[in-house]
C-alpha cells in the first residue's frame, strides 16, 4: 500500500542555490517545469536563515503549481562551492562566505518536511542537459559553464560523476599554463583554465590589451568602466561590430578553453561536450557566438586523437539559467526512482564518509 502511494508522487522540486538568488522550480516526471520562482539568498544573514526561507519558498512553488506537498516525491538541491556530498554539508563555499561546514541537506529536509538530494550545481546543470536538454541520452556528457568562473559537470552512463572526495569535475582548475608568470586563478594558484577562459579572465586580458594601447574601439569603454565584470559584454558588443582586437580576444578565449577540453576528452572520452553559462558570446544566436564555437571546435579537434575528433560532438547547451534547478530536480527523481525500484543505489560514485582535516583536529 505504501509503495502504491509513493508511486503517485511523481513531481519533484529543484533548487539552484546561488550567491545572489535562489531559483526554485517544480517539475513533473517528464522534466516539464510546472512552476518557478526566485528568492534572494541574503548571504550575510547566514545559512540557517536562507535554508528556512528556501523551505518556505519550496512550499510556495508547490502551491503555485496547484499541487500539495503530498504530490512531491523529493527535492533536489544544487549548491556551489566545495561540498561534502555524503554528509550533505557545505565545506568552504567561496561565494557563500560564512556558510562553512553547514549541514544544508539535512536542515532543508527538516525545515521543508521533504527528502532532499544534494549535488554540486555544475553537475546538476550537466544532468539537466542530459535529461531534457542538448545532451539528451548521450552516453558520456561534459558540460562546461562559462561565467565568473568555469564550472563543469560530467555525466557518464546516466550518472553524475562526483569523484571520491566530492570534487570530481573541477575542470576550471585544470592547469593550462605552466609558465612562471601564468595568470592567477581566484583559488590562489597560477595557470588554471578559469584564469583564462572565464568572464574574469576575459576582462583581465582585455584590460591588458587596452593598457598596452592596442588600437581598438574597446579603449574608451574599458577605461570608463565602473566594474570589471562589464568588460566581457563590451568585448562581445565590439566583436559583433567587427573590432579586430575584440575578435582576437574571443578567439584567444576559444583557444584557452580548448586546451582544457583536450585533457578532458582524452581522460573521460565523452560523446559530447556542451558549453553553457552567461559567457558564450551569445551562443548560436549571434555571429560572435558561432565564431567562438567554431574556433573551440577547430582547435580542439586539431589536438586530439583522430578517432575521437571524428566522433565527439561539441555544441552549446540549451537550457540556460534553468539548467541548475532542472538538473537538481532530475537528480532527486533519479535517487527516488533508484530507492523505490529496490536497486543497489549508486548516486554517481559509491560515496563513503571520509574524514575531513578539520575533523582530525577535534
Amino acid at each position: 500500500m505504501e509503495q502504491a502511494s509513493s508511486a503517485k508522487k511523481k513531481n519533484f522540486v529543484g533548487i539552484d542555490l546561488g550567491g545572489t538568488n535562489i531559483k526554485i522550480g517544480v517539475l513533473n516526471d517528464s522534466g516539464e517545469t510546472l512552476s518557478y520562482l526566485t528568492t534572494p539568498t541574503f548571504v550575510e544573514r547566514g545559512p540557517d536563515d536562507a535554508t528556512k526561507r528556501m523551505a518556505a519558498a519550496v512550499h510556495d512553488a508547490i502551491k503555485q503549481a496547484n499541487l500539495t506537498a503530498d504530490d512531491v516525491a523529493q527535492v533536489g538541491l544544487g549548491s556551489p562551492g566545495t561540498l561534502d556530498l555524503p554528509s550533505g554539508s557545505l565545506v568552504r563555499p567561496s561565494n557563500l562566505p560564512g556558510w562553512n561546514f553547514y549541514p544544508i541537506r539535512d536542515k532543508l529536509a527538516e525545515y521543508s518536511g521533504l527528502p532532499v538530494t544534494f549535488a554540486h550545481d555544475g553537475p546538476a546543470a550537466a544532468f539537466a542537459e542530459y535529461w531534457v536538454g542538448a545532451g539528451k541520452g548521450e552516453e558520456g556528457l561534459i558540460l562546461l559553464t562559462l561565467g565568473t568562473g568555469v564550472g563543469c559537470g560530467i555525466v557518464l552512463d546516466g550518472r553524475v560523476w562526483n569523484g571520491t572526495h566530492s570534487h570530481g569535475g573541477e575542470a576550471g582548475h585544470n592547469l593550462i599554463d605552466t609558465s612562471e608568470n601564468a595568470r592567477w586563478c581566484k583559488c590562489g594558484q597560477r595557470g588554471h583554465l578559469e584564469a583564462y577562459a572565464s568572464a574574469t579572465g576575459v576582462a583581465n586580458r582585455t584590460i591588458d590589451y587596452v593598457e598596452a594601447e592596442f588600437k581598438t574601439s574597446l579603449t574608451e569603454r574599458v577605461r570608463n568602466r565602473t566594474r570589471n565584470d562589464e568588460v566581457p559584454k563590451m568585448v562581445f558588443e565590439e566583436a559583433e561590430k567587427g573590432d579586430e582586437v575584440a575578435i582576437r580576444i574571443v578567439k584567444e578565449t576559444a583557444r584557452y578553453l580548448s586546451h582544457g577540453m583536450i585533457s578532458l576528452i582524452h581522460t573521460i572520452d565523452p560523446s559530447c561536450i556542451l558549453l553553457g553559462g552567461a559567457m558564450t558570446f551569445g551562443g548560436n544566436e549571434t555571429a560572435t557566438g558561432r565564431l567562438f564555437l567554431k574556433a573551440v571546435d577547430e582547435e580542439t579537434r586539431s589536438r586530439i586523437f583522430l578517432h575521437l575528433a571524428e566522433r565527439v560532438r561539441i555544441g552549446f547547451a540549451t537550457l540556460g539559467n534553468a539548467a541548475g534547478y532542472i538538473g537538481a530536480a532530475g537528480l532527486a527523481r533519479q535517487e527516488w526512482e533508484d530507492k523505490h525500484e529496490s536497486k543497489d543505489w549508486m548516486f554517481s560514485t559509491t560515496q563513503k564518509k571520509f574524514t575531513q582535516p578539520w575533523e582530525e583536529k577535534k
Side-chain angles (χ1 to χ4, degrees):
M1 200 66 181
E2 182 180 344
Q3 287 185 342
S5 175
S6 296
K8 295 178 182 178
K9 295 183 177 183
K10 299 295 286 184
N11 301 291
F12 302 87
V13 177
I15 303 173
D16 182 7
L17 171 60
T20 303
N21 292 300
I22 302 167
K23 300 170 187 172
I24 300 174
V26 178
L27 286 79
N28 63 19
D29 190 50
S30 300
E32 298 170 315
T33 298
L34 306 178
S35 69
Y36 169 78
L37 58 81
T38 64
T39 186
T41 308
F42 294 135
V43 174
E44 68 281 0
R45 297 184 187 178
D48 210 56
D49 174 86
T51 305
K52 287 177 179 176
R53 289 185 294 104
M54 196 187 307
V58 164
H59 287 280
D60 289 342
I62 292 170
K63 188 180 296 184
Q64 184 176 305
N66 295 318
L67 300 172
T68 69
D70 288 339
D71 298 313
V72 172
Q74 193 134 331
V75 174
L77 170 62
S79 173
T82 50
L83 313 177
D84 179 349
L85 293 174
S87 73
S89 299
L90 304 171
V91 180
R92 295 182 181 91
S94 59
N95 58 346
L96 300 171
W99 289 32
N100 297 356
F101 318 130
Y102 180 74
I104 193 166
R105 180 194 63 200
D106 293 348
K107 286 295 186 181
L108 179 59
E110 176 187 341
Y111 296 147
S112 68
L114 293 164
V116 176
T117 299
F118 189 42
H120 280 284
D121 54 357
F127 192 83
E129 294 290 344
Y130 165 80
W131 184 26
V132 295
K136 188 172 183 178
E138 292 282 356
E139 293 181 5
L141 179 147
I142 297 173
L143 172 68
L144 292 170
T145 52
L146 311 178
T148 304
V150 175
C152 177
I154 300 170
V155 181
L156 301 175
D157 296 325
R159 299 282 169 173
V160 165
W161 185 74
N162 288 313
T164 303
H165 303 105
S166 305
H167 284 60
E170 289 286 0
H173 301 283
N174 283 356
L175 186 64
I176 66 165
D177 186 348
T178 61
S179 64
E180 292 184 1
N181 62 344
R183 291 182 181 274
W184 287 102
C185 179
K186 67 178 181 180
C187 74
Q189 300 289 340
R190 284 186 181 272
H192 290 183
L193 175 64
E194 192 166 286
Y196 293 83
S198 67
T200 304
V202 169
N204 290 338
R205 289 189 289 108
T206 303
I207 292 167
D208 287 348
Y209 272 110
V210 168
E211 290 180 348
E213 298 186 350
F214 277 76
K215 186 177 180 181
T216 169
S217 57
L218 286 162
T219 300
E220 185 175 351
R221 296 188 67 183
V222 170
R223 286 178 176 168
N224 292 331
R225 71 188 184 279
T226 56
R227 304 187 316 273
N228 282 1
D229 60 10
E230 299 171 336
V231 175
K233 184 179 179 183
M234 297 175 186
V235 172
F236 163 68
E237 291 171 346
E238 297 308 317
E240 284 284 279
K241 297 174 186 176
D243 181 81
E244 291 184 3
V245 171
I247 292 171
R248 178 174 174 178
I249 293 167
V250 171
K251 289 182 176 180
E252 280 183 351
T253 305
R255 188 176 73 251
Y256 288 129
L257 181 62
S258 72
H259 292 173
M261 289 169 54
I262 290 162
S263 296
L264 283 170
I265 290 170
H266 283 140
T267 303
I268 304 297
D269 186 15
S271 57
C272 173
I273 294 187
L274 298 176
L275 308 180
M279 209 209 64
T280 54
F281 301 105
N284 277 324
E285 304 302 315
T286 69
T288 301
R290 293 189 292 273
L291 171 71
F292 175 64
L293 182 63
K294 183 174 184 288
V296 170
D297 189 271
E298 290 178 351
E299 179 73 10
T300 301
R301 293 186 196 282
S302 71
R303 292 172 176 264
I304 59 177
F305 292 149
L306 178 61
H307 184 78
L308 299 178
E310 291 173 341
R311 288 163 175 79
V312 68
R313 179 167 70 89
I314 300 172
F316 285 121
T318 56
L319 297 178
N321 291 333
Y325 78 81
I326 291 174
L331 289 171
R333 172 182 178 270
Q334 185 178 73
E335 180 177 351
W336 184 87
E337 287 190 339
D338 284 345
K339 288 180 177 178
H340 286 80
E341 290 176 7
S342 301
K343 292 180 180 178
D344 292 330
W345 180 48
M346 292 177 65
F347 178 62
S348 68
T349 59
T350 300
Q351 301 275 356
K352 295 181 179 179
K353 183 68 176 71
F354 53 91
T355 302
Q356 297 280 16
W358 64 85
E359 294 173 328
E360 294 172 354
K361 296 176 182 178
K362 291 180 181 178

